[in-house]
């Protein structure tokens, strides 16, 4: 397919905001809470300001690079997809490639400022976060690769905070992110079944049907919740985390109720608002648990997950 030239918005600020919309900058809310949760548990609080700022720098730059590369790689497909064809009016293909390169450089700089492990793992992370964009061309499990890409966020935050990955906690949180993202991307992909079939792109809903995709998504989100329970137990988190887990359970149920109708607007609500809520609830639960663990409240410490292990 050959796409017509894009029509970027005129004006500097419109171009900037158009580019941010093009790379869906607002979707940073998905990986960020899990990375911050890993950081808080690894440091048993907030690390020094320098570490915190460089972690945020790396998260934003890596995610920007991944989305900019995705837009560059899928430019022609996005132009002809009725759901995404407006993207070509928000910027140019050349802009997305330049932004990707700039963000990759920024990510490498950030890794070098953290510790040796982060610097060593930087190329691995780059391959994973960029490689996802190409998987839809050859496998119906591209959604799993997206999950893998976002799962690098808590792993990276833990490595940045501790300089090691020898604890099971970051691996558990990464597994939860993998299942969670795999599941909600299956839901999101149900919108593009007809286009994927026409363009000969691979996706699980296109290959196995929407009903099968939604069943798998429900299973993955249940596994996500179980893994998060294990993370809280091993991380010695407290009552606020228990409450957060209850709220997350209902948020995930609501997400699947919304997506049953097949209505595009409700699927978008399920995709963005419910999943953003899951991440927000998680990081608040983790933060409050750590706060109460280090500050006696009425002479009692809240540790329902604690025990002799």
């Amino acid at each position: 397919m050959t796409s017509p030239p894009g029509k970027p918005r005129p004006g500097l600020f419109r171009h900037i905001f158009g580019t941010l919309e093009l790379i869906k900058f607002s979707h940073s809310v998905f990986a960020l809470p899990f990375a911050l949760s890993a950081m808080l548990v690894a440091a048993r609080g907030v690390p020094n300001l320098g570490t915190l700022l460089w972690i945020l720098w790396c998260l934003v730059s890596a995610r920007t690079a991944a989305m900019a590369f995705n837009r560059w790689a899928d430019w022609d497909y996005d132009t002809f997809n009725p759901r995404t064809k407006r993207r070509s009016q928000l910027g140019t293909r050349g802009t997305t490639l330049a932004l990707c390169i700039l963000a990759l450089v920024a990510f490498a700089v950030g890794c070098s400022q953290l510790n040796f492990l982060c610097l060593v793992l930087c190329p691995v992370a780059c391959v994973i976060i960029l490689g996802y964009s190409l998987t839809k061309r050859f496998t119906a499990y591209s959604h799993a690769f997206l999950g893998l890409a976002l799962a690098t966020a808590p792993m990276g935050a833990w490595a940045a905070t501790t300089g090691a990955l020898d604890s099971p906690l970051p691996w558990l949180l990464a597994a939860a992110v993998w299942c969670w993202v795999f599941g909600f991307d299956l839901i999101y992909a149900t919108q593009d079944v007809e286009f994927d079939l026409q363009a000969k792109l691979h996706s699980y809903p296109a290959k196995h049907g929407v009903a099968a995709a939604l069943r798998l998504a429900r299973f993955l989100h249940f596994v996500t919740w179980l893994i998060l329970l294990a993370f809280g137990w091993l991380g010695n988190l407290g009552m606020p985390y228990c409450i957060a887990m209850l709220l997350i359970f209902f948020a995930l149920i609501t997400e699947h109720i919304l997506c049953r109708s097949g209505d595009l607007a409700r699927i978008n609500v399920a995709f963005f608002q419910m999943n953003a809520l899951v991440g927000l609830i998680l990081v608040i639960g983790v933060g409050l648990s750590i706060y109460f663990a280090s500050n006696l409240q009425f002479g009692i410490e809240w540790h329902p997950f604690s025990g002799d292990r």
Side-chain angles (χ1 to χ4, degrees):
M1 294 183 291
T2 303
S3 64
K7 297 179 180 178
R9 296 175 176 180
L12 176 61
F13 288 104
R14 287 189 176 184
H15 184 70
I16 291 173
F17 286 112
T19 301
L20 291 176
E21 186 179 350
L22 177 64
I23 64 171
K24 293 294 183 183
F25 186 79
S26 59
H27 288 189
S28 300
V29 298
F30 294 150
L32 184 61
F34 285 85
L36 293 179
S37 296
M39 178 196 73
L40 291 171
V41 174
R44 299 312 296 184
V46 180
N48 65 74
L49 181 61
T51 299
L52 173 61
L53 292 178
W54 282 116
I55 287 175
L56 293 174
W57 174 282
C58 288
L59 286 170
V60 173
S61 58
R63 198 262 170 197
T64 299
M67 286 305 300
F69 182 76
N70 180 268
R71 294 297 180 255
W72 176 82
D74 286 352
W75 189 267
D76 289 336
Y77 292 112
D78 287 345
T79 301
F80 285 96
N81 186 337
R83 185 179 62 82
T84 60
K85 62 182 180 181
R86 180 175 170 271
R87 291 173 182 171
S88 63
Q89 301 174 1
L90 300 174
T92 66
R93 193 174 192 180
T95 300
T96 61
L97 181 59
L99 181 61
C100 175
I101 295 172
L102 180 63
L104 286 175
V105 172
F107 178 60
V109 170
C111 289
S112 70
Q113 296 300 309
L114 286 166
N115 54 53
F116 180 71
L117 178 60
C118 290
L119 184 60
V120 169
L121 293 178
C122 177
V124 178
C126 289
V127 170
I128 293 174
I129 63 177
L130 298 184
Y132 150 72
S133 296
L134 305 176
T135 57
K136 205 170 184 180
R137 291 155 173 78
F138 60 85
T139 177
Y141 290 88
S142 58
H143 325 282
F145 284 92
L146 178 61
L148 180 62
L150 268 70
T152 60
M155 297 285 285
W158 190 282
T161 306
T162 66
L165 287 172
D166 53 356
S167 168
L169 288 172
W171 297 91
L172 272 176
L173 198 51
V177 172
W178 181 78
C179 291
W180 176 58
V181 175
F182 189 173
F184 76 60
D185 197 55
L186 284 171
I187 295 173
Y188 198 62
T190 59
Q191 303 173 88
D192 292 330
V193 170
E194 291 184 10
F195 178 80
D196 288 344
L197 291 172
Q198 292 173 2
K200 298 182 179 179
L201 289 172
H202 299 272
S203 74
Y204 191 92
K207 182 177 181 179
H208 299 286
V210 170
L214 294 179
R215 284 195 300 271
L216 180 56
R218 287 194 293 271
F219 171 76
L220 288 167
H221 282 169
F222 180 65
V223 173
T224 297
W225 190 73
L226 293 179
I227 296 174
L228 288 176
L229 281 178
F231 175 78
W233 181 72
L234 287 176
N236 202 29
L237 300 176
M239 184 61 69
Y241 189 82
C242 293
I243 297 172
M245 289 304 302
L246 183 62
L247 294 175
I248 287 173
F249 183 78
F250 285 111
L252 292 173
I253 289 177
T254 301
E255 177 179 1
H256 287 276
I257 291 174
L258 287 172
C259 71
R260 281 180 180 177
S261 66
D263 179 75
L264 180 61
R266 300 187 76 183
I267 289 176
N268 282 327
V269 170
F271 171 74
F272 186 79
Q273 295 183 13
M274 288 298 105
N275 287 301
L277 186 62
V278 166
L280 179 62
I281 292 171
L282 178 74
V283 72
I284 291 175
V286 169
L288 290 178
S289 293
I290 292 174
Y291 173 79
F292 286 127
S294 59
N295 295 273
L296 292 178
Q297 300 294 311
F298 307 106
I300 300 174
E301 289 189 76
W302 291 354
H303 284 297
F305 282 134
S306 65
D308 296 328
R309 296 193 292 275

